[in-house]
Amino acid sequence: MGLQQPAPLIESRVPQMVHFPRSCLHCETPDCVTVCPTGASYKRAEDGIVLVDEDKCIGCQLCAWACPYGAREIALPHPKAATSDAGRKDSKRGTMQKCTLCVDRIYNETLDERDRQPACVMACPTRARMFGDLGDPDSDVSKVVAERGGFALMPEFGYQPVNRYLPPRPRRDGSEAAATASVPAEEALDTAQLPPLLRWLDKALSR
Amino acid sequence: MKPALSVIFFTVASGAGYGLWCLLGLALAAGIYPLTGTGVLVPLGFGFVLVSAGLLASTAHLGRPERAWRALSQWRSSWLSREGIASLVTYLPMLAVAWFAFTRHAGMSLHVAGAVLALCALATILCTANIYRSLKTIAAWRTRQVLPLYFMFALLSGGLWLWAWLALTTGLAISLAFPLALLGLAIVAAVIKVDHWKCVDTLPVNTAGHATGLDMLGHVRAFEGPVTEESYLTREMAFVLARKHGARLRRIALALFGLAPALGIAVALASDTAWLAPVAALAAIAGLFVERWLFFAEARHTVAAFFPPTQA
């Protein structure tokens, strides 16, 4: 008996909505670090977190260009930045900003241990984000990634992203037929009669 | 990619300046440059203006231009850093050539200074091209034509200015080889640029399914963007204006940097009209501005795939 083809993860033709948060993937070998002319963009040797030293960054934006994941954005100077005192003193002005993996939280010993997690992980109401050590095969995150087939984004760039995305789970109710049946036949809707807000809503939802 | 005026001006103006310095340096090194004294200082100084204006303009692209000096530190990995160093180092042989020209010194040291100037200018152009070529996220800049084109455009635009200076001071009769070489260069550069454009047009476009890794589920499309307003990423990486007028702008660029100099040289030589030389040089610069604008505006960044087509 030959090897079986792996089945598609979700066999469904019902449209499915997936929220897709992007953040820094703290790659192993990222070009955002090597293209930086000042050394402001760096990867920490001890834990691999990719950071920007705002005091060294010249805002050339080459690192943002080098990132395929859209993890970096420049802090554009406020229109009044040049004239106001606060604007001139703003240390972030004109420098590259990115996810820090909340370095100020995850090592903070004044916080309760379970609170030493990035803010996005803490804030997610559905616990869709997880934080842990993927370098340790026995950690909770490593197990979840192995179990659910976590994957790296656009690995062909060779940056070796460290974060993993988990594919969406199959729908719990499963049956495609039921889902299709629950969609009512299209009714005629004269959108011109709708108030502007609903008309916009109709347009947005019909896309 | 958003075409930033500061970077376009920098690559075009400094490119022409380095091309001019390179050819002037080579001619001095080989001992075939027909003029001395002011005849060297004027084109050298014009190259200085082009290079320096470009470098100054490039700092306008920085969020914190007052820290530009920090860019000199990471030469071991960053082409931008290498470019910064190369651009500053090139001033040294330029000053040496200027000194020897000023003191009417024509010995071995002028030949050496000219050769070093040519090498440094070439090294700077190499660094500039590699800044773009090294970005894996922008496929249009990784094609095989990008590096030779940067060299050719620099030598063509700088060379036309040098020829214009020679034509106006010594007349057209003194050298035929140089303008004919420029004519050939204009044609070859135009052919390679057309090849590059063809290449850019056939590059695969990154899809939402591939970018998110969700194409295993079926067809993936972005329902809506992460933000309703523009963001840095949509402004900077998802620039679409050029693709609408691309074909027309390409023809304009080609006519200005390829056809105009080639015709200008041919007509100038045939009819002995020296004033056509600076016109050809100006046309080439104008054409390269359009070409460089398209170089940025037509280049698709990988990250655009994360945004719905209305935003990207």
Side-chain angles (χ1 to χ4, degrees):
Chain A
M1 215 167 107
L3 283 173
Q4 276 189 330
Q5 281 287 317
L9 274 153
I10 296 170
E11 289 172 324
S12 164
R13 272 174 282 118
V14 180
Q16 185 178 7
M17 184 90 90
V18 176
H19 293 279
F20 198 84
R22 286 178 299 106
S23 73
C24 178
L25 305 179
H26 298 281
C27 303
E28 283 292 344
T29 50
D31 273 6
C32 61
V33 170
T34 50
V35 299
C36 176
T38 67
S41 182
Y42 66 105
K43 185 172 174 68
R44 300 214 300 191
E46 62 267 38
D47 53 16
I49 298 177
V50 178
L51 293 170
V52 175
D53 182 343
E54 283 166 4
D55 295 331
K56 278 190 190 165
C57 178
I58 60 173
C60 71
Q61 305 166 50
L62 210 52
C63 56
W65 291 5
C67 176
Y69 310 112
R72 291 166 174 251
E73 301 202 18
I74 198 166
L76 289 171
H78 188 270
K80 285 183 185 161
T83 48
S84 76
D85 256 9
R88 268 196 301 272
K89 281 180 194 152
D90 179 7
S91 63
K92 289 179 168 31
R93 172 176 60 90
T95 63
M96 202 45 80
Q97 306 294 312
K98 70 180 292 296
C99 154
T100 63
L101 207 66
C102 288
V103 272
D104 50 340
R105 289 191 64 90
I106 60 177
Y107 297 114
N108 193 336
E109 286 177 8
T110 63
L111 292 177
D112 195 283
E113 205 172 327
R114 60 179 178 190
D115 287 341
R116 289 179 212 162
Q117 298 196 40
C120 61
V121 175
M122 302 282 294
C124 179
T126 59
R127 296 249 167 262
R129 284 170 175 263
M130 278 157 262
F131 172 70
D133 184 3
L134 278 177
D136 169 11
D138 295 322
S139 68
D140 287 347
V141 280
S142 293
K143 284 181 197 156
V144 172
V145 165
E147 210 173 280
R148 289 189 44 202
F151 59 91
L153 285 192
M154 294 189 271
E156 71 274 15
F157 281 96
Y159 298 157
Q160 304 179 57
V162 170
N163 290 13
R164 290 288 179 268
Y165 280 78
L166 302 178
R169 272 185 281 244
R171 282 165 200 259
R172 227 169 268 165
D173 58 7
S175 88
E176 191 183 319
T180 322
S182 72
V183 179
E186 210 165 309
E187 289 163 352
L189 176 71
D190 185 5
T191 51
Q193 299 292 319
L194 293 171
L197 179 66
L198 289 184
R199 205 158 58 223
W200 171 81
L201 202 61
D202 171 65
K203 226 172 92 188
L205 293 173
S206 329
R207 272 188 294 196
Chain B
M1 298 298 294
K2 185 176 105 182
L5 197 61
S6 52
V7 179
I8 294 172
F9 184 83
F10 161 62
T11 55
V12 173
S14 292
Y18 287 119
L20 199 167
W21 278 357
C22 176
L23 292 171
L24 179 64
L26 282 177
L28 290 169
I32 54 171
Y33 191 69
L35 304 170
T36 53
T38 322
V40 175
L41 284 173
V42 171
L44 195 70
F46 188 60
F48 177 84
V49 171
L50 286 172
V51 164
S52 308
L55 287 173
L56 282 177
S58 75
T59 63
H61 189 246
L62 303 179
R64 298 296 288 257
E66 76 277 13
R67 295 176 181 167
W69 59 274
R70 287 188 180 275
L72 304 176
S73 69
Q74 301 301 305
W75 51 271
R76 283 183 299 172
S77 73
S78 166
W79 281 106
L80 180 54
S81 186
R82 289 170 196 165
E83 183 202 43
I85 292 171
S87 66
L88 292 182
V89 166
T90 310
Y91 280 114
L92 298 175
M94 187 279 295
L95 287 172
V97 170
W99 175 252
F100 294 137
F102 184 69
T103 56
R104 306 241 164 204
H105 177 96
M108 194 58 192
S109 24
L110 179 64
H111 295 289
V112 172
V116 176
L117 176 63
L119 277 179
C120 287
L122 285 176
T124 313
I125 300 167
L126 175 79
C127 293
T128 306
N130 271 324
I131 292 174
Y132 303 106
R133 224 170 56 110
S134 66
L135 294 168
K136 294 180 193 161
T137 46
I138 302 159
W141 296 351
R142 288 183 74 72
T143 54
R144 63 182 186 280
Q145 301 94 344
V146 167
L147 190 61
L149 279 175
Y150 264 89
F151 280 113
M152 286 186 201
F153 285 144
L155 293 173
L156 175 66
S157 54
L160 283 167
W161 284 114
L162 186 60
W163 175 59
W165 167 247
L166 291 173
L168 293 173
T169 50
T170 65
L172 287 161
I174 190 163
S175 160
L176 279 180
F178 183 42
L180 287 178
L182 288 175
L183 191 152
L185 186 60
I187 292 167
V188 173
V191 169
I192 297 184
K193 187 66 213 187
V194 170
D195 188 41
H196 179 236
W197 281 328
K198 271 190 199 153
C199 215
V200 169
D201 290 341
T202 52
L203 286 172
V205 177
N206 192 21
T207 61
H210 180 74
T212 58
L214 293 174
D215 42 8
M216 58 184 154
L217 303 182
H219 176 68
V220 178
R221 71 180 176 95
F223 176 71
E224 58 187 0
V227 282
T228 51
E229 258 290 334
E230 282 191 316
S231 71
Y232 169 76
L233 291 175
T234 60
R235 270 195 310 269
E236 185 75 13
M237 323 278 182
F239 192 84
V240 285
L241 186 66
R243 291 192 274 281
K244 197 172 160 191
H245 303 291
R248 174 168 294 174
L249 287 169
R250 285 178 181 185
R251 284 197 295 274
I252 293 173
L254 212 52
L256 286 170
F257 78 70
L259 195 63
L263 272 179
I265 291 168
V267 174
L269 292 180
S271 63
D272 198 29
T273 33
W275 60 265
L276 275 175
V279 174
L282 269 177
I285 290 280
L288 290 182
F289 265 99
V290 181
E291 182 275 334
R292 213 52 50 85
W293 191 86
L294 285 169
F295 180 75
F296 285 91
E298 290 191 314
R300 287 172 199 267
H301 195 286
T302 307
V303 89
F306 285 111
F307 300 93
T310 46
Q311 282 189 335

